[in-house]
Amino acid sequence: MSFYINNIFTTVTSNINNCNGYIEIEPHHNLRPFIKCFWEYKPNSLNQNETRVIPDICMDIIFSFEDNSINVGLCGINNVPFVTDCNNCMFAIRFYAWSIILFADNNLKNTLNNFLDVKEYFSDFQTIHNDLIYAENIFERKKIAENYLYKKINPDRQNNDVMNSIYYIIKNNCKLKVNDLSNYCFKSRRQLERDFIENTGVSPKQMIDLVRYQKLWQDCLKPNFNILNSVDKLGFYDQSHLLNEFKKYHGISISKALQSK
């Protein structure tokens, strides 16, 4: 792999910093180009607040522990926000959407906004299922998952046209169209769209919009945020377009989002 997207772009969540009982830990540095983090949530009397989940261009394998039952599934990219007040203990592996294909057994074309059977994409996941369940803490689970992922990674699964396109989207601050990507890759628009959906779960247009939204949200979190600067920087038509797009993906206005971050 000639470059790693995480060196120039990463993603952020919503109000996770205010969510008691939630922690994230980084993967081993060799896995950081592919894995955003491992995370855990343990509900208690102090963390009954709702959590806003926003599009973060990631996919998660999520364990949910409830009484005597355990559910595990693959959560695909979301391009719509939602609010959850889950009271279950959870552990998850969060992949960047453009890198999960290196570990998965099948393509990702039906994963958008879906919670799916993990065995459809990680057929041998049961080999570590029980180990993850009975591990004592997130650090043990991280080690178990990393050992599994090291064995799973397959660089030959990478689609260079998709990766080059995502790099091009990021470096150009999303100020381009799908035809620009097609020309950049010397590939037909139809074939590039097929490759994107199979390798990331979303189309090139959806990826452009999601990266733009994430870049905007990260701009919003800076102390010197200026709406008009972001309009120009990220290729919005005007301030109204920016505000509408933010609310579409975040579910609330920028001012309300900043109050609850």
Side-chain angles (χ1 to χ4, degrees), residues 109-153:
K109 64 181 180 180
N110 296 314
T111 56
L112 179 63
N113 296 323
N114 275 326
F115 191 74
L116 304 144
D117 185 348
V118 71
K119 295 191 296 295
E120 293 183 25
Y121 301 90
F122 293 79
S123 58
D124 60 350
F125 198 76
Q126 70 274 8
T127 60
I128 63 167
H129 184 272
N130 288 340
D131 291 336
L132 289 174
I133 291 172
Y134 294 111
E136 293 187 0
N137 53 55
I138 187 175
F139 301 100
E140 286 190 7
R141 291 188 173 108
K142 169 183 179 287
K143 185 175 180 179
I144 293 165
E146 286 181 333
N147 289 337
Y148 167 76
L149 293 169
Y150 278 127
K151 298 173 184 177
K152 284 285 292 183
I153 191 168

Side-chain angles (χ1 to χ4, degrees), residues 71 87 92 143:
N71 296 314
N87 293 315
K143 185 175 180 179

